[in-house]
Amino acid sequence: MNYLKKLRLLAIIICLLPLFSANAVIVKEHIINSKTLGEKQNVTVYLPDNYGDFPDYKYPVYYFLDGKYYKDMIQGVMSSYYENGLAPSMILVAIENESRIRDYTPTEHVEYKQGGGADVFLDYIERAASLCR
């Protein structure tokens, strides 16, 4: 392996190290039986490790769609950010929806003959958000 390839490999490893750092995030998995959507939804909540230390603090909450695809990345990145003081303490909520066309389109998709559930999905997110307040 030549020098540049070794250097590139070392740079990639260094960039990926934060993803494998110590867990500075508390992860809680939930299954919500959504009457709004008529199905069960998986939701992952990421809390900063100091969450219980400040009971009166109002943490900002960020919601992520397609949560099942980003679980490991969210946890690794936020752990690294917290450990290095790069982000304030916050709550992250990853919503795992199962039908992107149904949930993200306001009208039926012509080609796929499905969709149009964006209003219902937004209602579901707003109801879920009210639980985090």
Side-chain angles (χ1 to χ4, degrees):
M1 193 182 299
N2 68 29
Y3 176 75
L4 289 177
K5 285 184 180 179
K6 288 180 184 179
L7 188 59
R8 187 179 326 161
L9 180 61
L10 179 62
I12 290 170
I13 291 170
I14 289 171
C15 289
L16 292 176
L17 279 177
L19 298 178
F20 304 103
S21 62
N23 186 5
V25 177
I26 301 166
V27 180
K28 297 189 178 222
E29 302 277 342
H30 300 280
I31 297 175
I32 297 174
N33 190 7
S34 172
K35 292 179 183 175
T36 305
L37 295 175
E39 65 188 24
K40 293 182 179 180
Q41 289 281 312
N42 295 323
V43 175
T44 305
V45 179
Y46 302 86
L47 303 171
D49 63 353
N50 65 354
Y51 181 74
D53 298 344
F54 307 101
D56 295 329
Y57 180 73
K58 300 292 184 194
Y59 292 88
V61 181
Y62 293 90
Y63 297 90
F64 294 88
L65 302 180
D66 297 326
K68 66 182 170 185
Y69 302 114
Y70 302 113
K71 279 183 174 185
D72 294 334
M73 182 187 71
I74 291 170
Q75 184 174 354
V77 169
M78 292 313 297
S79 292
S80 177
Y81 281 9
Y82 290 153
E83 290 171 6
N84 293 297
L86 298 174
S89 295
M90 64 184 81
I91 298 171
L92 304 169
V93 179
I95 299 170
E96 298 182 26
N97 58 314
E98 294 300 321
S99 177
R100 298 182 91 235
I101 293 174
R102 177 198 69 195
D103 296 338
Y104 296 169
T105 56
T107 59
E108 184 176 293
H109 190 282
V110 177
E111 182 180 340
Y112 296 106
K113 304 291 186 221
Q114 59 179 332
D119 289 338
V120 174
F121 191 64
L122 179 60
D123 186 47
Y124 162 73
I125 291 172
E126 289 172 343
R127 288 175 190 243
S130 69
L131 299 174
C132 292
R133 294 184 185 129

